[in-house]
Amino acid sequence: MNGRINGRINGRFKGRMSPKELVARTLARKEADRAPTDFGGTVVTCMDMFAHKKLCAFLSTDEGVSRIIDWTMGTVEPCEALMKLFGSDFRRVAINYGAPNIIDGAFINGFGMRLKKADPHEYYETVSHPLEHADLNDLNEMALPDPDTPSFYYGLRDKAKDLHDNSPYAIVADFGVPGFYETSQKLRGYENLACDMLLNREFLFGLYNRLLELQKRFYKNFLGEVGKYAHVVGYADDLGMQDRLQISPEMYRDILKPYHKKIFAFIREHTDAKIMLHCCGAIEPIIGDLADAGVDILNPMQTNAAGMDAAALKKKHGDKIIFWGGIDEQNLLPFGTREEIFCETKKMLDIMAGGGYIIAPSHNIQADTPPENVTALFEAIRFHQTRRA
């Protein structure tokens, strides 16, 4: 491995809190000796497969196991060597979803959706919507993945227990269970779903009731294996765009919030882990509602989206929500200079000081992000946190 870079980044903070101790204080919104660092701890704080290959080549390290963990995003979990090098305080345990049966650049998922590769990228986008022409009666025949598939959970208990008993790292029971809004968009199509929310709520609630029971079965099985070992459990439901919410705050409160409350309450019955919601974009108007629904942690804190200024979020919501992410992966990391990355990292750590913050990129590292900039980010984290000690 590149010795010059390794010497600047690698090594733990000797004589200071272990990752588990650090994360426990942070999740309690108490000040710790540094903010925890995440690189590879969740499926949305990992790397695009090409970005990972370039980074491993740049650092002259064996890339080890780098299988795709999310085919819709072309995401791989960083190899252990990189997670150690960059000081990640988290390790993920996730449902074992196997590789899809890809034919001519497309595959069918458990909901019957057809996803097609968006060349030249690794992303697969939904190109057919199984419930596009459905009515209420058709919901009884809709295709659903089987949460009781044994292979989904094989080895998870042993992996989680080993991490809990024999490693210093905090454990994320990562998400992979379909959220209400995102899943209904893909099942119905965006235009149909928007009409359902205004004119066809009987159908929509019928669909969401089925998705709720599906999610409960997934989480009961998953958390039955890993729940007692996890520090964080993940859930995902994107509700924001770059400049606004996808739906009004009132519509969120009327339609989605009651379902979020139900699934988060169910999760709490099966684990003491904190609930992390992955929700991209300009979602500030409903952050208070998300906390009320049961969200403990908000990821990715997309600070360049409208209304998502870090200082304002910390001041208004820092007593209710733990923030996870915040380092811009849209502009700063792909196109910024080393100096800009160091400056923004210091700014974020200063703003979010005092507990309740995990520092990480605001989404997966994409293929257009130079490996030099990835390395600069984690050098900057280590440099500024060492100086703050």
Side-chain angles (χ1 to χ4, degrees):
M1 185 174 292
N2 188 313
R4 178 175 63 88
I5 293 171
N6 187 31
R8 287 204 300 262
I9 301 179
N10 206 4
R12 306 304 299 167
F13 291 83
K14 294 182 179 179
R16 302 179 69 185
M17 292 179 183
S18 71
K20 286 176 182 171
E21 294 169 330
L22 180 71
V23 169
R25 287 192 64 83
T26 299
L27 296 182
R29 291 197 291 274
K30 296 179 181 178
E31 187 165 12
D33 56 21
R34 60 185 175 88
T37 300
D38 175 30
F39 176 66
T42 81
V43 74
V44 290
T45 53
C46 286
M47 302 193 76
D48 167 272
M49 62 179 296
F50 294 115
H52 186 256
K53 288 180 179 180
K54 288 192 292 185
L55 181 62
C56 288
F58 175 71
L59 295 173
S60 303
T61 186
D62 179 6
E63 71 177 74
V65 177
S66 58
R67 65 180 179 84
I68 292 178
I69 57 174
D70 188 298
W71 286 83
T72 64
M73 296 188 291
T75 302
V76 301
E77 184 175 305
C79 59
E80 182 67 18
L82 288 180
M83 287 192 283
K84 287 183 176 178
L85 176 66
F86 292 157
S88 182
D89 293 298
F90 299 89
R91 295 296 183 271
R92 68 185 290 271
V93 179
I95 295 173
N96 300 316
Y97 292 120
N101 182 27
I102 299 172
I103 300 174
D104 295 329
F107 66 89
I108 306 295
N109 71 7
F111 289 97
M113 304 170 194
R114 185 170 184 265
L115 292 93
K116 186 176 177 63
K117 189 174 181 180
D119 285 325
H121 308 289
E122 286 304 299
Y123 279 63
Y124 283 76
E125 300 290 348
T126 303
V127 295
S128 70
H129 310 289
L131 300 182
E132 182 176 3
H133 303 294
D135 61 26
L136 188 61
N137 293 326
D138 295 323
L139 293 177
N140 293 325
E141 306 299 325
M142 67 180 290
L144 293 169
D146 182 5
D148 297 325
T149 304
S151 61
F152 285 170
Y153 313 102
Y154 180 77
L156 297 189
R157 184 186 298 266
D158 290 342
K159 180 178 180 179
K161 186 177 187 301
D162 182 60
L163 285 169
H164 181 272
D165 294 347
N166 301 310
S167 88
Y169 304 112
I171 300 168
V172 179
D174 203 15
F175 50 79
V177 177
F180 296 102
Y181 187 68
E182 288 188 58
T183 305
S184 60
Q185 281 180 322
K186 296 168 185 175
L187 284 169
R188 285 288 278 164
Y190 288 72
E191 184 175 350
N192 282 343
L193 180 63
C195 293
D196 291 339
M197 288 188 155
L198 291 171
L199 304 172
N200 197 7
R201 290 192 180 182
E202 183 183 9
F203 174 89
L204 190 60
F205 291 148
L207 173 58
Y208 282 178
N209 287 336
R210 286 164 174 78
L211 293 180
L212 176 62
E213 294 310 308
L214 179 72
Q215 291 177 24
K216 284 181 176 180
R217 290 172 61 194
F218 267 115
Y219 274 112
K220 182 179 179 180
N221 291 338
F222 183 34
L223 296 176
E225 299 296 314
V226 307
K228 68 179 180 179
Y229 304 113
H231 299 82
V232 174
V233 58
Y235 186 90
D237 218 2
D238 279 339
L239 300 167
M241 299 185 289
Q242 190 69 26
D243 61 344
R244 75 198 80 173
L245 284 162
Q246 294 188 44
I247 57 176
S248 70
E250 293 75 20
M251 192 169 286
Y252 171 76
R253 293 166 192 144
D254 287 347
I255 299 175
L256 283 161
K257 184 176 178 180
Y259 284 95
H260 282 160
K261 277 191 170 184
K262 289 175 183 178
I263 191 60
F264 297 151
F266 182 84
I267 289 170
R268 291 196 193 283
E269 294 174 4
H270 292 81
T271 183
D272 292 328
K274 298 291 187 182
I275 295 172
M276 180 185 75
L277 173 67
H278 172 79
C279 192
C280 291
I283 60 168
E284 191 283 324
I286 61 167
I287 289 178
D289 293 287
L290 296 174
D292 182 60
V295 174
D296 299 303
I297 307 164
L298 184 62
N299 166 278
M301 193 170 72
Q302 192 177 330
T303 54
N304 60 341
M308 297 293 287
D309 173 74
L313 293 178
K314 176 75 171 179
K315 181 177 180 180
K316 184 174 180 180
H317 302 290
D319 62 335
K320 301 182 289 291
I321 285 278
I322 297 153
F323 292 101
W324 187 317
I327 302 298
D328 173 35
E329 171 53 18
Q330 288 180 290
N331 296 296
L332 176 69
L333 291 180
F335 309 118
T337 65
R338 176 182 173 85
E339 291 72 22
E340 289 169 338
I341 291 168
F342 264 68
C343 181
E344 183 62 23
T345 301
K346 181 179 186 301
K347 175 184 173 183
M348 191 65 63
L349 289 169
D350 287 344
I351 288 171
M352 305 303 289
Y357 175 60
I358 293 102
I359 190 166
S362 63
H363 214 292
N364 292 321
I365 302 293
Q366 299 296 304
D368 61 353
T369 301
E372 295 88 344
N373 283 9
V374 181
T375 303
L377 169 61
F378 292 98
E379 287 183 6
I381 293 171
R382 182 56 48 87
F383 175 79
H384 292 306
Q385 292 196 337
T386 300
R387 288 174 64 89
R388 289 169 60 88

